[in-house]
Amino acid sequence: MESITELSLKQTIENLIKAGTTFDIQQLDIIYHEDLKVIMIDKNGQKTISDKQAFKDLFSTKLKNGDAPLNTWAKFNHIDVNNNIGHVIVTRKVNLTGEEQEILLSIDLVKTNEKWQVIREVIFIKN
């Protein structure tokens, strides 16, 4: 049984998925912490690190290009809360790089001003 705090954390990730899949830059700006770091590791082990602005730019480009909304499919594998620190592991199917891929995300969140914000996102491309 999930606690209220775990449910609020899950809702934040669901809001993030909705904002990301529809390229809602304003919502992404709210959900992403100023110190966001995104680490993406592809199937060949290549690592790419992005900050908040670079990652928002990725979605801005998709919006400007008129790309179709991304897949919203998500499977929550793990949700953990310890006071104002949260951790979520979620499996997603999404087209971030030109083809739909299954990815595993490890997302660290901090609670600031009564709202959860993503401070680190580690993305493993599975296939």
Side-chain angles (χ1 to χ4, degrees), residues 28-46:
L28 290 173
D29 197 49
I30 293 167
I31 297 170
Y32 284 146
H33 191 276
E34 285 306 311
D35 296 329
L36 173 73
K37 182 182 279 190
V38 178
I39 304 153
M40 188 180 308
I41 301 171
D42 71 17
K43 58 189 172 194
N44 299 317
Q46 296 298 310

Side-chain angles (χ1 to χ4, degrees), residues 62-83:
K62 289 185 169 296
L63 181 64
K64 288 175 190 156
N65 290 343
D67 289 7
L70 301 175
N71 190 336
T72 59
W73 185 88
K75 176 184 174 193
F76 285 82
N77 305 103
H78 175 76
I79 299 173
D80 184 53
V81 178
N82 185 356
N83 298 317

Side-chain angles (χ1 to χ4, degrees), residues 23 62 67 70-71 93-101:
F23 320 128
K62 289 185 169 296
D67 289 7
L70 301 175
N71 190 336
K93 292 179 183 173
V94 67
N95 177 351
L96 286 178
T97 58
E99 65 177 292
E100 185 152 291
Q101 299 168 307

Side-chain angles (χ1 to χ4, degrees), residues 5-24:
T5 308
E6 288 172 338
L7 287 173
S8 73
L9 196 61
K10 184 177 182 181
Q11 183 63 55
T12 299
I13 299 303
E14 287 173 343
N15 293 345
L16 173 62
I17 290 168
K18 181 179 180 193
T21 58
T22 60
F23 320 128
D24 185 340

